[in-house]
Amino acid sequence: MTRLVTGLLVAALWAPAAHGQAQAQGPSASTAGDADAVPMIVIEGLGEQDDAAPAEPAVPSVLLRNSTVKSRSTAPWLFPLRPLSGKSGANDMARLQGQASEGAFRLVLPPAALSGRLTLAHRSSVNVLPQGSEIEVLLNGRKLGSFRPDSFGTLATVSLPLAGSQARAGENIVTLRASQRHRIFCGPDASFALWTDLDLSQSGVQMEPLAVRPDAAGFVAALAAQAGGGQAVGIRGQKVDPETLRAIAGALGQATGGAPLPLTVASPWAVAERPAQARISLLPSNRSAVSVQQGGDGALVLVIEHPPGQAADPALITEALSGVPDPLTLAQPVMLQPGQETAFADLGFTTVVSSEYYFRRDLGFRLPEDWLLLASQKATVELDYGFAENLPEGGLVLVKVNGTTVRMLPLDRNGGKIQPRLPVSFSARLLRPGLNALSFESIIPGDPADEPCPTRDTDMLTILDSSSLLVPPSPKMQQPDMARTLSGLGGGDVQGLGQVGDGVLPFVAALTPVETQGAGALTVVGFADASLLPLTQRGIAARDLETVLLPPVAPAALAQPKPEPVEEPVNTGPARLMPANPVEPRSASWTLPGWVDRAWAAVRAPLERGIDRLLHPGDGLLQPWLAEQQGVAVLMSLEPDEPERLWLLLGPDADAADVAADLDAGRRSAGGPHGQISVLRRDGSWASWTAADARPVLLEPLAIGNIRPVLGNLVSWQPRALTAAMLGLAWITALLALYFVVSTRGNRKK
């Protein structure tokens, strides 16, 4: 028995060696089946030497498509849906919430996928009534199909054919419109309980890897698919210079429409944890050329040849990817002309007809970058709207400007018709140069709230596109604001500092100028290099930023151990009668009546805010504001003398591609970063702070016609200056009056 075991061990140890000898002997030593299963890689220069040198260096055969080589990546490729804006990752879930909601997604396809099928993995709340709900799917504005949200536990899939649709090679826009009905309750709270989640990591178009041709369209689609799946895209090469990396990132960002690409620099011999769909390889050569090849693992490879010691030519990269259709351009908010009444229709707003118990619609528009009003001027919305008759009591519609409610309109009286045109005035200082948002939000209670919503024959609310907006003109003035710099930033304006390394590449790829502005610069800094930032000019300590960016501690870690129970001493003295609840001693001071207390409480808050604004213009002191923030990145304008120079500090757990996506989405939104300091919260929103030293600057000559709004802006910027000027004027007037009285009194005595 012992000899048998020993023999088996010897045979097991000898087998790999024998297999290696068989491989060393060449193909003749193996069977035909082994030759098909094991790819043979020919390394040029190690075989028989040819006297005639080739005119041009050949691309290594390992990068070329070979029909006899079987791809090691046999799993189908998924070309996933990606959010139209903001971060994208492998585990992101997109939610359609409410009675009626809409979500838009990007879908980048190679030509071979146009005859495939679009798969959507979805799951809905148990509150959704499938028989009264539907989700409509549109592709590039045309209906592709629809399905019923009837999966409440595990994910369900629906498959829609692309053949004969509006699908195109390159970028497509997939829109999902959800109409959902609550099975039990009715009202705004019930609307928030209605949702359908879409798993983006399992939604898209699947294809076999070998069906994707190694061309520009196939490479861009594979690149977008890998980035959308949350997998880094490797740039492989030896001693890659920074200029080449920036050229590659900029060209890829242009080809993908500014999509956030998780680009990383990797060794040529690095082995990926997961099979790659796309990568970039840099090869030293005596020529400059760019081509798309298919690697031995099935990945599409952008091969960039360049002479040693020279940067790759970005024009060749752009030319190699020029066969890809241009990405679809999204409509930008319309520029509103101040001083001119503009109809909503001219701003891109279409008439709203709503039957929802909770509804919100935003109207985005832009104001010139040299528009600025900080005083008491008024802007006006001339609102044409109507609502149904006999709506539940308490229904109302809110009119908001950049998130601030400026008017509440009741919907429970005098309904059943289009109302007379209603002027809604609001303070013009709520508006900002650049992007702004005018919002309409309706809240209608259920009647009754504990039963399903009744079927209505008429709509509940309509807002007509004949409504108009009038913004007063202003002198040409500007206030330092990072939003203006961000809108003009491009990939060439981004640089890294310290150990951020290739973390700067997603920003180079994602940032394309939204508007042509003056020169600006963005410096990306890693968390470990926070001390390299010029923080002293803002009076910030590095530990203040570290507190903002450190991940929150789990509640379990903060739990304090329960103290040991302490046994109360037993009173052995004579018994005394004690009240169950100790009586607080009455204060000897006189107390105001209750109604006076309530009145004072109502006045105190705005009074304190006014005094604080008087003493601390802008958004107050920076340190208390920072102490209330928590996020993954901080965007800063640290040098008052150079407001166009921005600094971005990444947190220790920040993903550079996600931050780049949120930064690009934020500068296209009215709620994006502005002022001098802005924190990217963990939910993708921005919190901004404006410094007191952000002084308005006049860009035109001072004249009689503009002196009043100019002074109004300056005084509103620094209320303390107004207070000091008024006190000074009062003292001067008093002194002059006193001098006049004293001097005339002496003359009278004579």
Side-chain angles (χ1 to χ4, degrees), residues 342-364:
T342 306
F344 282 9
D346 296 333
L347 297 176
F349 184 90
T350 56
T351 296
V352 168
V353 178
S354 170
S355 298
E356 306 165 42
Y357 286 83
Y358 175 81
F359 166 83
R360 181 181 175 118
R361 176 73 177 272
D362 296 332
L363 169 59

Side-chain angles (χ1 to χ4, degrees), residues 83-362:
L84 202 57
S85 62
K87 67 182 67 175
S88 63
N91 299 320
D92 279 356
M93 301 286 286
R95 172 162 291 189
L96 305 174
Q97 188 171 31
Q99 286 181 275
S101 59
E102 182 175 304
F105 307 90
R106 299 180 190 270
L107 178 63
V108 184
L109 296 176
L114 301 184
S115 58
R117 302 181 71 87
L118 174 63
T119 300
L120 301 174
H122 63 94
R123 177 177 56 202
S124 300
S125 164
V126 70
N127 298 306
V128 175
L129 179 65
Q131 292 78 7
S133 305
E134 183 185 48
I135 296 181
E136 186 180 21
V137 183
L138 291 85
L139 180 63
N140 296 331
R142 297 287 185 88
K143 183 175 180 179
L144 182 65
S146 61
F147 64 93
R148 179 177 293 177
D150 54 3
S151 178
F152 309 115
T154 58
L155 288 168
T157 59
V158 60
S159 181
L160 303 174
L162 296 179
S165 67
Q166 297 293 318
R168 67 168 200 162
E171 186 178 86
N172 299 265
I173 303 297
V174 177
T175 305
L176 272 65
R177 292 177 179 171
S179 174
Q180 303 176 114
R181 181 180 175 88
H182 203 290
R183 64 172 71 234
I184 300 176
F185 300 121
C186 182
D189 293 337
S191 296
F192 284 105
L194 298 173
W195 52 262
T196 294
D197 282 345
L198 190 69
D199 188 351
L200 301 183
S201 65
Q202 302 183 42
S203 299
V205 179
Q206 283 192 347
M207 282 191 63
E208 293 297 327
L210 293 179
V212 184
R213 294 184 56 83
D215 53 17
F219 174 77
V220 171
L223 178 69
Q226 184 164 325
Q231 184 178 359
V233 179
I235 302 177
R236 298 188 176 186
Q238 297 183 11
K239 298 181 180 179
V240 185
D241 62 283
E243 291 303 320
T244 297
L245 292 177
R246 297 175 68 87
I248 294 173
L252 296 180
Q254 182 178 356
T256 57
L261 301 175
L263 300 173
T264 59
V265 180
S267 168
W269 302 278
V271 178
E273 297 180 359
R274 291 187 291 170
Q277 295 170 267
R279 64 173 174 267
I280 299 96
S281 292
L282 296 169
L283 298 180
S285 175
N286 58 5
R287 67 170 185 172
S288 294
V290 180
S291 61
V292 178
Q293 307 290 338
Q294 189 164 31
D297 58 351
L300 299 187
V301 185
L302 183 67
V303 181
I304 303 175
E305 301 177 59
H306 63 98
Q310 296 184 15
D313 189 354
L316 291 178
I317 304 175
T318 303
E319 182 181 355
L321 301 177
S322 60
V324 183
D326 293 333
L328 298 175
T329 56
L330 302 178
Q332 296 295 325
V334 178
M335 180 68 71
L336 185 143
Q337 185 64 36
Q340 177 180 335
E341 187 173 359
T342 306
F344 282 9
D346 296 333
L347 297 176
F349 184 90
T350 56
T351 296
V352 168
V353 178
S354 170
S355 298
E356 306 165 42
Y357 286 83
Y358 175 81
F359 166 83
R360 181 181 175 118
R361 176 73 177 272
D362 296 332

Side-chain angles (χ1 to χ4, degrees), residues 19-26 29:
H19 180 67
Q21 293 175 1
Q23 286 183 334
Q25 293 174 2

Side-chain angles (χ1 to χ4, degrees), residues 377 474-475 477 698 700-715:
Q377 294 91 339
S474 81
M477 299 187 72
L698 182 63
E700 64 182 17
L702 186 64
I704 298 297
N706 63 9
I707 188 171
R708 181 178 178 182
V710 169
L711 291 178
N713 284 342
L714 293 175
V715 169

Side-chain angles (χ1 to χ4, degrees), residues 495-498 522-546 549 633-639 645-650 677:
Q495 59 185 354
L497 179 65
L522 174 65
T523 303
V524 183
V525 184
F527 183 76
D529 298 318
S531 59
L532 301 178
L533 294 170
L535 301 175
T536 55
Q537 297 194 48
R538 287 288 177 202
I540 310 174
R543 62 178 178 272
D544 296 333
L545 298 178
E546 293 171 356
L549 296 177
V634 182
L635 183 65
M636 298 166 283
S637 175
L638 295 174
E639 299 156 301
R645 187 176 183 183
L646 304 180
W647 305 81
L648 180 65
L649 178 62
L650 302 177
I677 307 289

